[in-house]
Amino acid sequence: MSTQGYEDELRSERDYVAGLYTRLDAERVRVKERHTAALRGTGGTPLERDDEVRALTREIRRLNIADNGLCFGRLDTVTGERLYIGRIGLFDDEHDYEPVLLDWRAPASSAFYTATGATPKNMRRRRQFHTRGRQVLEFTDEVLGRPQAGDHGDAALLAAVNAPRGEGMRDIVATIQAEQDDIIRLDHPGVLVIEGGPGTGKTVVALHRVAYLMYTQRDRMERHGALVVGPNPSFLNHISRVLPSLGESDVVFTTTGDFVPGLRATAEDPPEVAKLKGSLKILDVLRAAIADRQRLPEEPIEIELGGITLRIDAATAEWARQEARDSGLPHNEARTVFTEIVTYVLTERALGRIGKGWLNRSDKKEWENQRAHLVKQLNADDVFAGALDQLWPILTPQSVLAELYRSPQHPELRRAEPETWTVSDVPLLDELIDLLGRDKALDKAAEQAAARERRAAAEYAEGVMNMLELDHEEVDNEYSLLAKDVVNAIELAERQDEVDTRDLAERAAADRDWTYRHVVVDEAQELSEMDWRVLMRRCPNRSFTVVGDLAQRRSEAGARSWDAMLAPYVADRWVYRSLTVNYRTPAEIMAVAAALLAEFAPTVRPPESVRACGAQPWSRKVTADELPVAIEEFVRDEAGREGTSIVIGPPGVPGTVPASETKGLEFDAVLVVDPDRILADGPRGAAELYVALTRATQRLGVLHQGPLPTALSGLTER
């Protein structure tokens, strides 16, 4: 194409994209007007109005994410049709709702990512736009149908992977590769495992897969949303912009330490303790801890009832306990069964003694009347209530676990602060919620209190309105306004009882019993068997995208094989896909990491880097006094460069971050401190060092006080 021809084409593309933005702005105005009208509307039920408001809110969000990179490419078919590909779909409502911009997730967009010179998929040309804001700066063309043309998008891809890193992960919607696109669009209803080494893009592929599922299965997904589980808050903050940038906000982000709403745990147990807590064997320990609180009296407990003294003896309590256990109900709910049996025995004994000579079972009506009277007395008796609390107490997950950690029967679990929760405690607490069940008495009391508040407010409002009706002329406008406000408040409260106005992600995050339509688990090799039990409860339909790398496992409780973790829940309903190309780590740095990988995981093949950066990784030996100065020097030098940097070291070294806190993150420059000390932690340490070495996208340096590990001998010494 001549220079003049290119300039003419560029002007034409700029005009077309400008027209798309005009259409986008008009659609925004239209949807916002409908949203405002829906908020003010009075038609329909509260639920119908709320559904409309939420749907329009989602549409506003979808339109608002599209300003940057609205349209990033074009496909020309062999029949001469032009298909523009973008972040969202736009339609021409004046011409039979024809698409003027295809959503990247639409089936017709697939060829943009998968067509090659050898397999053009009925496409003649692929055009990629380089944009800034709303402006098309330039474009590149690739003619398809020529086997020698090679894979598509090399220029755009290399520009993206070489660009300086910002504060968060970016979407790859404009540069998805064929290997990645196949996984994103995979039609599999069960569990998909994506395994790949550092830098293969497995996390961002998983996030784009969620966006794809939420687009193609909108009706199934929108009522329940999706859950994304990551290794730590820094990682979640790093990836949190990707899905909103793709127009999806009905997603909850969490760590395993946040599984229980209202509780956040970040502390870790020692490896052996974490391994024990993460094993399914701990279930027997938890059940035994609960059973231990279902007690028999050492001595009969005396109860005064109807003027006589009765006793709750061991035999009575044992019968009641067995009936309660056999009910299959959780502990707190089974207390009702226990109470009913004890109440039955005591009232039967009381009736036999009180009614001796004048009352017998043949008079069923009088017998039951007398029983009801005794039951009422018993329920009001403090001694009886105390006996129930002694023999079958209402338990909380926290109280059970704290007592377990104080118990001399389990010295391996004992600790100084039993109620300071660790990450490994959270799935145990979640399990105990199900094992214990609800305290129905407390739930009922809360409901009754809320009802009393509503009745009091309604009575007050009614009184104000009655006053107004008595003498309209004597009541000024201020009081009239007050009364209307009160009545409106009551109506609002009644609506709040019917409809929860929080958005889906807020409601789901606050509800321990919420179930999701799809769950993404990142760094899944770190999750324990108990963690997986939590997640399976959160997703009964077993729809998962599982992302990990077994070679990077650091947790003793984590996965050693995917089948061992997944088969108990999904049998063979899971498929495996691997990513083999490293888009993040340049070849120079990956060569160093691969040497370490060969030592601690010789059967694992490292991913192949797609590029070289031209900067050789280096090492430098320093003394203890020189170390702080060398770290400061690195930080100062990198502060003058574009991009991000980090210093990674063993726990306790000032100015460094542990490798475990950088999992899934990427930086332009990385300085690794004391690799021999990181390695000293055995297999876990080797995985930590492997993670540390593979965070860099451009530059890697190593400072060491002790001997340089043999795997790092290829570093250039400074």
Side-chain angles (χ1 to χ4, degrees):
M1 184 185 298
S2 66
T3 302
Q4 184 59 49
Y6 178 86
E7 292 297 329
D8 291 343
E9 280 282 296
L10 182 59
R11 275 193 296 272
S12 176
E13 299 293 24
R14 285 173 173 169
D15 289 344
Y16 189 89
V17 172
L20 293 177
Y21 276 109
T22 299
R23 192 178 298 275
L24 174 68
D25 291 338
E27 184 69 5
R28 280 176 174 163
V29 170
R30 186 182 69 83
V31 173
K32 286 181 179 178
E33 287 175 348
R34 288 181 58 199
H35 184 261
T36 300
L39 288 173
R40 295 173 177 171
T42 57
T45 67
L47 185 59
E48 289 170 340
R49 293 197 301 271
D50 193 69
D51 282 345
E52 183 182 11
V53 168
R54 284 182 176 157
L56 290 169
T57 299
R58 283 195 298 270
E59 182 65 6
I60 289 172
R61 288 172 179 164
R62 187 184 78 90
L63 296 172
N64 284 344
I65 57 95
D67 265 326
N68 188 25
L70 171 63
C71 177
F72 49 77
R74 188 184 98 187
L75 281 172
D76 295 356
T77 70
V78 293
T79 59
E81 185 181 8
R82 292 181 176 182
L83 306 175
Y84 284 85
I85 315 298
R87 196 169 290 276
I88 64 172
L90 292 175
F91 300 88
D92 185 349
D93 52 9
E94 296 180 359
H95 296 87
D96 298 325
Y97 215 57
E98 284 291 316
V100 293
L101 181 66
L102 287 174
D103 191 297
W104 66 274
R105 296 166 288 192
S109 301
S110 176
F112 186 78
Y113 302 109
T114 59
T116 65
T119 310
K121 299 190 174 182
N122 295 319
M123 298 297 159
R124 183 175 61 84
R125 175 169 55 190
R126 174 176 31 243
R127 174 169 290 179
Q128 290 183 303
F129 299 140
H130 177 206
T131 63
R132 180 180 299 131
R134 294 190 167 202
Q135 182 70 24
V136 177
L137 300 180
E138 58 184 4
F139 66 80
T140 57
D141 279 347
E142 182 183 359
V143 178
L144 302 171
R146 300 176 181 176
Q148 67 270 24
D151 292 334
H152 88 274
D154 288 346
L157 173 65
L158 290 175
V161 298
N162 279 310
R165 266 44 188 177
E167 293 182 357
M169 179 179 283
R170 297 165 293 189
D171 64 63
I172 58 168
V173 63
T175 58
I176 293 171
Q177 302 300 288
E179 176 187 55
Q180 299 169 329
D181 189 73
D182 287 342
I183 294 173
I184 290 169
R185 298 176 193 266
L186 183 67
D187 182 16
H188 179 72
V191 177
L192 167 63
V193 175
I194 306 173
E195 185 162 27
T200 53
K202 52 189 180 293
T203 296
V204 72
V205 167
L207 295 175
H208 282 68
R209 175 168 170 76
V210 173
Y212 174 77
L213 292 175
M214 298 186 85
Y215 173 82
T216 57
Q217 303 177 21
R218 182 69 64 189
D219 291 342
R220 190 176 74 88
M221 297 281 287
E222 67 179 359
R223 288 286 182 185
H224 291 263
L227 175 68
V228 176
V229 181
N232 54 58
S234 297
F235 173 82
L236 294 180
N237 182 60
H238 179 65
I239 69 171
S240 62
R241 303 176 188 175
V242 175
L243 284 167
S245 77
L246 299 173
E248 303 300 344
S249 58
D250 291 341
V251 181
V252 173
F253 294 86
T254 190
T255 69
T256 56
D258 299 325
F259 278 159
V260 177
L263 174 66
R264 168 160 291 185
T266 57
E268 293 190 6
D269 283 304
E272 289 305 314
V273 176
K275 183 178 181 180
L276 174 60
K277 291 181 180 180
S279 168
L280 295 182
K281 296 177 182 177
I282 199 69
L283 289 172
D284 291 335
V285 177
L286 296 178
R287 294 186 183 110
I290 295 172
D292 188 55
R293 299 297 300 276
Q294 300 163 357
R295 295 168 177 163
L296 305 179
E298 295 181 4
E299 298 291 337
I301 302 173
E302 294 188 346
I303 305 291
E304 297 293 329
L305 182 62
I308 62 173
T309 301
L310 302 168
R311 290 178 176 83
I312 304 176
D313 53 28
T316 298
E318 187 171 15
W319 177 30
R321 182 173 72 175
Q322 195 59 49
E323 289 291 330
R325 289 176 175 177
D326 290 346
S327 72
L329 294 171
H331 170 87
N332 289 336
E333 296 172 29
R335 174 177 160 123
T336 301
V337 178
F338 182 88
T339 303
E340 287 174 352
I341 298 297
V342 175
T343 299
Y344 172 79
V345 172
L346 293 179
T347 54
E348 280 289 306
R349 290 175 181 173
L351 286 171
R353 292 168 60 181
I354 295 171
K356 190 173 183 179
W358 65 272
L359 180 64
N360 58 60
R361 290 181 179 276
S362 61
D363 188 351
K364 293 182 179 180
K365 184 176 181 180
E366 184 59 26
W367 187 277
E368 290 305 322
N369 285 339
Q370 291 297 323
R371 179 196 293 280
H373 179 67
L374 292 174
V375 168
K376 188 174 182 180
Q377 289 185 44
L378 206 53
N379 289 339
D381 187 89
D382 291 340
V383 176
F384 181 65
L388 293 178
D389 289 340
Q390 175 187 338
L391 302 178
W392 198 284
I394 292 294
L395 300 175
T396 66
Q398 291 83 354
S399 66
V400 172
L401 213 53
E403 185 166 328
L404 177 64
Y405 294 162
R406 294 187 186 100
S407 171
Q409 297 178 7
H410 296 282
E412 70 280 11
L413 295 175
R414 295 194 72 179
R415 64 185 187 210
E417 298 180 356
E419 294 187 42
T420 301
W421 308 119
T422 66
V423 173
S424 302
D425 290 329
V426 176
L428 276 59
L429 291 167
D430 189 77
E431 188 77 34
L432 284 166
I433 291 174
D434 280 353
L435 291 175
L436 296 175
R438 304 291 187 186
D439 180 356
K440 292 185 176 179
L442 290 179
D443 289 347
K444 185 176 181 180
E447 292 174 3
Q448 291 173 340
R452 285 195 298 271
E453 289 181 5
R454 289 194 296 271
R455 283 196 300 271
E459 290 169 0
Y460 174 76
E462 184 178 358
V464 173
M465 293 304 292
N466 288 340
M467 179 187 72
L468 292 176
E469 291 172 0
L470 289 176
D471 191 343
H472 292 286
E473 295 181 359
E474 294 182 4
V475 181
D476 62 23
N477 289 335
E478 181 180 350
Y479 283 104
S480 177
L481 180 60
L482 174 62
K484 291 177 181 177
D485 288 344
V486 172
V487 173
N488 288 339
I490 297 301
E491 291 176 350
L492 179 61
E494 290 173 349
R495 179 179 175 185
Q496 288 288 89
D497 287 342
E498 297 181 60
V499 178
D500 189 337
T501 58
R502 295 171 297 173
D503 65 31
L504 184 142
E506 291 173 322
R507 288 180 288 132
D511 186 354
R512 183 262 173 186
D513 296 323
W514 190 276
T515 57
Y516 298 88
R517 280 290 181 262
H518 192 77
V519 176
V520 173
V521 186
D522 209 327
E523 300 293 345
Q525 73 277 355
E526 306 297 346
L527 269 65
S528 70
E529 293 175 319
M530 290 298 293
D531 290 326
W532 281 108
R533 281 181 64 85
V534 176
L535 291 177
M536 293 300 167
R537 284 193 286 270
R538 302 295 193 271
C539 189
N541 65 324
R542 306 293 195 257
S543 178
F544 285 79
T545 299
V546 176
V547 180
D549 179 10
L550 294 178
Q552 295 187 59
R553 179 184 61 83
R554 61 182 291 273
S555 171
E556 286 293 323
R560 285 166 171 78
S561 82
W562 300 118
D563 188 64
M565 281 295 187
L566 298 174
Y569 304 103
V570 298
D572 59 353
R573 277 187 62 232
W574 68 279
V575 297
Y576 177 89
R577 294 291 184 272
S578 64
L579 292 169
T580 59
V581 179
N582 190 329
Y583 299 101
R584 175 177 68 217
T585 317
E588 297 91 338
I589 296 175
M590 197 62 219
V592 177
L596 175 65
L597 184 67
E599 286 191 359
F600 80 93
T603 61
V604 178
R605 182 179 178 181
E608 181 179 352
S609 295
V610 75
R611 67 189 174 94
C613 65
Q616 290 298 322
W618 54 269
S619 66
R620 175 182 163 193
K621 187 169 185 177
V622 294
T623 65
D625 292 337
E626 293 170 336
L627 179 62
V629 177
I631 292 175
E632 289 178 8
E633 181 182 291
F634 169 83
V635 172
R636 184 173 60 252
D637 289 347
E638 290 299 330
R641 298 174 183 255
E642 186 178 7
T644 59
S645 63
I646 195 169
V647 182
I648 302 175
V653 176
T656 71
V657 175
S660 60
E661 295 183 17
T662 67
K663 299 198 77 169
L665 307 183
E666 55 185 27
F667 306 88
D668 291 272
V670 172
L671 180 67
V672 178
V673 174
D674 287 340
D676 55 319
R677 289 180 56 189
I678 299 176
L679 270 180
D681 200 10
R684 169 172 164 161
E688 295 271 76
L689 183 56
Y690 184 60
V691 169
L693 295 173
T694 54
R695 299 306 94 194
T697 66
Q698 301 290 343
R699 299 175 294 282
L700 173 67
V702 174
L703 297 177
H704 60 104
Q705 300 178 78
L708 190 67
T710 56
L712 306 187
S713 58
L715 293 171
T716 302
E717 185 70 25
R718 281 191 177 181

